[in-house]
Amino acid sequence: MNAISNAIATRDNGPGALVAQHREDIELVMPSHMQKRVGAWVRTTQGLLRRDEKLLKAAQNDPGQFMAVLLDAARLGLEPGTEQYYLVPRWNNKKGYTEVTGVRGYQGEIELMYRAGAVSSVIVEVVYDNDRFEYRPGRDKRPLHEIDWDAVDRGELRLVYAYAVMKDGATSKVVVLNKGHIAKAMAKSDSAGQSWSPWKTDTEAMWLKTAAHRLTKWVPTSAEYIREQLRARADVAAEQAPPTAALPQALTAGPDEDEVVEGEFVEDEVA
């Protein structure tokens, strides 16, 4: 087999081909609104592998781990290789090689909040040294953040904050993190010190992600929230419904004892 044939065989049996082979599995775990885009999702992932040699090598080292990460992204309905969901080659000391790990980005955290249906808007912003920022819990409903958009240099990253405005107009808990909080979050990341880590390549985005992730403790991020709200409304409606008037005996009488009635129970599901 010549060099060209070898290259074709490697390509056809590589991670890109693996993604295509598992297209049905990926589609199966995706949220329904994403399933019609599964073809584009697969092609985008294959394109990432072609453009990033380190990512391709990590995927080749452990194809099973790579597919597990992709299925996680698909289950969440997030786009891999974007600020919704990073694909990161990470060194695994136990295995002795790099593997692909998934890291939810700040846009992914925000997307999950919107999808749950409880919020009308999500605000996540970084504060630089030259910005004006004021927020006193208990006094201020929301932070005051003023930016000089004409400034050539806003200084260094100082703070990051996040909050959501709920559908009823209420403001969620306001999350404010400083450099110390960010340093603790970085310390929990095995890859933070690596040159390819998003902590190095996209520092501001990782600050935003950390604040957005902290906000998820206070804001629903699951579509189950919608179903619970609908169930609660249905229960209240049922309790408030007027009682049914008693029907005449002739209309309420059931079948004779010897009569066999065929039927089925239908359970209404609240989507």
Side-chain angles (χ1 to χ4, degrees):
M1 185 178 292
N2 58 33
I4 295 177
S5 298
N6 280 328
I8 293 174
T10 301
R11 180 189 63 194
D12 290 344
N13 294 319
L18 188 64
V19 177
Q21 292 167 12
H22 286 273
R23 171 174 171 156
E24 291 185 1
D25 297 324
I26 292 169
E27 184 177 4
L28 185 64
V29 301
M30 277 181 167
S32 57
H33 75 280
M34 289 284 293
Q35 290 175 351
K36 61 183 179 181
R37 298 185 58 248
V38 64
W41 195 97
V42 168
R43 289 190 295 273
T44 298
T45 305
Q46 292 172 323
L48 292 171
L49 294 169
R50 289 193 294 269
R51 295 191 300 271
D52 191 331
E53 292 184 3
K54 292 181 179 178
L55 181 64
L56 175 61
K57 177 63 176 175
Q60 290 171 335
N61 289 339
D62 196 332
Q65 166 67 13
F66 175 58
M67 284 307 307
V69 168
L70 291 186
L71 288 172
D72 180 60
R75 178 182 60 82
L76 295 170
L78 302 179
E79 296 282 353
T82 69
E83 289 185 341
Q84 285 192 351
Y85 195 97
Y86 292 99
L87 296 180
V88 182
R90 182 186 66 179
W91 178 260
N92 188 314
N93 287 326
K94 294 182 179 179
K95 296 179 181 178
Y97 53 74
T98 57
E99 63 181 8
V100 178
T101 187
V103 179
R104 264 191 275 177
Y106 80 97
Q107 290 185 359
E109 301 282 7
I110 293 172
E111 170 66 18
L112 294 178
M113 290 184 225
Y114 276 121
R115 199 181 299 160
V119 305
S120 61
S121 62
V122 180
I123 293 83
V124 187
E125 295 286 348
V126 289
V127 180
Y128 286 84
D129 284 335
N130 296 333
D131 297 349
R132 180 189 174 198
F133 180 83
E134 292 183 8
Y135 175 67
R136 292 185 184 179
R139 184 198 72 174
D140 302 328
K141 185 177 180 181
R142 300 170 187 172
L144 170 65
H145 184 195
E146 295 182 354
I147 301 170
D148 181 1
W149 295 108
D150 290 324
V152 176
D153 183 7
R154 290 170 59 191
E156 295 184 359
L157 283 168
R158 173 188 164 206
L159 302 168
V160 62
Y161 65 95
Y163 65 90
V165 179
M166 312 305 287
K167 285 287 182 68
D168 61 3
T171 301
S172 73
K173 178 180 176 64
V174 178
V175 172
V176 182
L177 305 178
N178 59 25
K179 291 181 179 179
H181 297 121
I182 298 299
K184 289 180 180 178
M186 284 183 62
K188 295 178 181 179
S189 171
D190 296 335
S191 63
Q194 303 296 325
S195 60
W196 39 260
S197 169
W199 283 105
K200 296 287 187 181
T201 62
D202 206 349
T203 303
E204 180 179 305
M206 291 305 291
W207 279 53
L208 293 167
K209 185 262 181 179
T210 304
H213 182 69
R214 194 72 60 90
L215 181 62
T216 60
K217 297 179 180 179
W218 309 96
V219 176
T221 58
S222 170
E224 180 62 25
Y225 170 84
I226 300 175
R227 290 190 285 269
E228 289 175 356
Q229 292 293 98
L230 292 174
R231 292 191 192 103
R233 291 174 188 171
D235 291 342
V236 171
E239 291 175 0
Q240 295 176 347
T244 303
L247 297 176
Q249 181 66 26
L251 297 179
T252 59
D256 295 337
E257 289 184 1
D258 296 334
E259 182 181 359
V260 178
V261 178
E262 295 182 356
E264 63 179 349
F265 290 102
V266 179
E267 181 179 355
D268 291 332
E269 180 181 354
V270 180

